[in-house]
Amino acid sequence: MAVLIEAEKLKARGIDVVDFGPGEPDFPTPEHIKRAAIRALEENRTKYTPTGGIMALREAVCEWHAKNLGSSYQPKECIVTSGGKLAIFNAISSLINPGDEVLIPAPYWVSYPDIVKLPGGTPKFVATLAIDKFCLRATDVEKAITPKTRLLIVNSPNNPTGAVIPRDEFARILEVCQRRGIWLLADECYSHFVYGSAKPFSIASLPGAKECVIIAGSLSKTFAMTGWRMGYALAPEPLVSAMIKLQSQTVSNVTSITQYAGLEALRGPMDSVGVMLTEYERRRARIVAGLRAIPGVDCTEPQGAFYVFPKVPGRGANGAGDSVQVTRELLEREHVAVVPGDAFGAPGHLRISYATSLERIEEGLRRLTRFFTASAA
Ligand SMILES: Cc1ncc(COP(=O)(O)O)c(C=O)c1O
């Protein structure tokens, strides 16, 4: 957010900033979804709804998840939330007591540690490595478990690394959670952005998984609906009931109009997802090649989501990393906005979003090349 504010200030002064910051699709919300929202307004669907979401929507979430990701949930095992973020927040606030430990693979999405700390939980980080394509390993999860561990958060495809956990490894991670009696919260925010021959996958599709799995889903990225605020959780009924209780004393319900738009998103055509994916795949190829061509920059090819997470030469002695300083200098000198890896628990890296046009990517690469070549000289 701090980077965004600085970038906005520069833009307001008329400066041409290449903005690699955004964590959201640069595509508009599909027309048929917008129309459904307008219809909801015209039909005066503007009143309170049930806390967990209108029943048709809870049904639609379960049907959509079953069809696209192979699960088998009932509406009573579903809560509609204000974005995937509130699904994660509600689940963690409902489950975690002071002193409980929550395993968070690093690099991680910035919000997890704070969401864990709010109910008194302790984040414990499990490292994933660039040489391993940042893939989480079941053996590392097992080593990190203590008697206080209550939950593991898995985000695949991952923000910021783009890592996608292979199905077999994910099954092994599930097996560890089942055997050691801990919950597995699967954040599926980027489920539909996977490249090559990979298909969207949910751990909830594996037999017997449901008892210890919590799915946090989001319409934000899949349907280019970040501002609408719609997500959901799928989990065992007692946990969903607790989450509904919590939600009834916070947001009450997701905006009624958003719920009708969400219903259309889930029941309507999904062509827009394929269009976005094809475009992201082209951009991914270009940005990875461009970054790899810069001396000193080390770039793992992301398997999903729309971010690259290169390791870059730092500003300290012998190039040691302070990516906050690199980020600051990049913005000041080249007017390129990125997010420092420190925010994700990975100093020395930058998160570069390719949810921006190929032309901007080309311009950004020119500036990044100039920046790192000049720094190396
Ligand atoms: C990994 C991850 N999970 C969850 C979210 C939450 O998204 P939303 O609350 O918009 O559904 C985001 C948003 O950037 C994310 O990157």
Side-chain angles (χ1 to χ4, degrees):
M1 295 310 277
V3 176
L4 271 179
I5 291 166
E6 280 311 307
E8 286 310 318
K9 278 191 204 156
L10 290 177
K11 285 186 206 168
R13 281 167 44 205
I15 292 168
D16 172 30
V17 175
V18 176
D19 196 352
F20 285 136
E24 59 183 351
D26 57 322
F27 293 85
T29 304
E31 208 49 40
H32 65 106
I33 299 176
K34 292 194 282 195
R35 292 272 133 226
I38 292 166
R39 237 181 1 258
L41 269 175
E42 285 170 352
E43 290 170 2
N44 291 314
R45 299 187 191 276
T46 53
K47 303 289 169 65
Y48 290 131
T49 77
T51 303
I54 54 172
M55 190 43 81
L57 183 55
R58 291 169 80 185
E59 282 166 7
V61 169
C62 296
E63 282 161 19
W64 183 88
H65 204 272
K67 183 168 166 218
N68 284 276
L69 293 156
S71 65
S72 58
Y73 286 98
Q74 304 293 317
K76 62 184 181 203
E77 299 168 307
C78 171
I79 173 177
V80 174
T81 55
S82 300
K85 186 183 266 175
L86 202 68
I88 297 164
F89 181 91
N90 285 346
I92 289 178
S93 294
S94 300
L95 275 178
I96 297 304
N97 289 315
D100 287 346
E101 291 177 0
V102 176
L103 300 182
I104 302 177
Y108 47 78
W109 179 46
V110 288
S111 296
Y112 298 142
D114 287 339
I115 292 177
V116 167
K117 284 183 205 159
L118 195 69
T122 309
K124 292 276 169 184
F125 301 107
V126 183
T128 64
L129 305 173
I131 46 160
D132 211 8
K133 292 190 178 164
F134 295 106
C135 178
L136 179 65
R137 297 282 162 205
T139 45
D140 292 330
V141 171
E142 179 121 46
K143 274 188 230 148
I145 293 175
T146 75
K148 291 185 182 163
T149 309
R150 189 133 165 81
L151 175 81
L152 162 72
I153 302 178
V154 177
N155 173 218
S156 173
N158 182 278
N159 173 12
T161 65
V164 175
I165 302 172
R167 180 186 283 252
D168 290 354
E169 193 61 35
F170 215 154
R172 281 192 281 274
I173 292 167
L174 171 68
E175 188 275 321
V176 169
C177 293
Q178 288 169 322
R179 186 162 38 78
R180 304 293 297 267
I182 65 171
W183 288 90
L184 193 169
L185 191 159
D187 178 350
E188 298 182 345
C189 185
Y190 297 93
S191 62
H192 278 64
F193 298 114
V194 285
Y195 302 110
S197 58
K199 294 274 171 285
F201 170 73
S202 173
I203 194 67
S205 66
L206 297 190
K210 275 172 62 179
E211 273 154 50
C212 73
V213 163
I214 305 156
I215 299 296
S218 170
L219 273 64
S220 288
K221 324 278 171 164
T222 315
F223 297 101
M225 292 179 75
T226 46
W228 298 73
R229 311 309 302 133
M230 188 181 145
Y232 57 85
L234 298 165
E237 191 187 356
L239 179 55
V240 166
S241 298
M243 290 166 73
I244 289 178
K245 205 186 267 183
L246 180 62
Q247 182 152 294
S248 75
Q249 302 302 4
T250 52
V251 300
S252 295
N253 60 257
V254 173
T255 307
S256 57
I257 303 152
T258 289
Q259 292 193 49
Y260 287 95
L263 190 56
E264 173 61 27
L266 296 170
R267 292 217 166 133
M270 281 185 54
D271 318 16
S272 58
V273 183
V275 171
M276 284 194 281
L277 188 61
T278 305
E279 183 57 26
Y280 288 145
E281 194 146 19
R282 283 174 61 212
R283 296 173 185 178
R284 178 184 73 138
R286 181 63 199 107
I287 202 155
V288 168
L291 287 168
R292 284 181 174 169
I294 303 174
V297 174
D298 212 349
C299 185
T300 305
E301 183 180 60
Q303 306 300 304
F306 40 68
Y307 310 104
V308 271
F309 200 59
K311 190 162 186 349
V312 296
R315 282 290 172 271
N318 30 352
D322 174 354
S323 52
V324 176
Q325 186 56 23
V326 173
T327 301
R328 213 169 268 142
E329 286 181 27
L330 248 177
L331 192 58
E332 276 166 17
R333 284 185 14 213
E334 291 292 347
H335 305 139
V336 173
V338 298
V339 187
D342 305 56
F344 308 95
H349 292 258
L350 302 178
R351 191 193 75 171
I352 298 179
S353 162
Y354 49 93
T356 187
S357 70
L358 262 180
E359 295 79 65
R360 297 310 282 163
I361 289 173
E362 291 298 349
E363 177 59 24
L365 283 170
R366 270 192 289 279
R367 296 184 193 187
L368 285 166
T369 307
R370 196 162 53 210
F371 179 82
F372 285 110
T373 313
S375 314

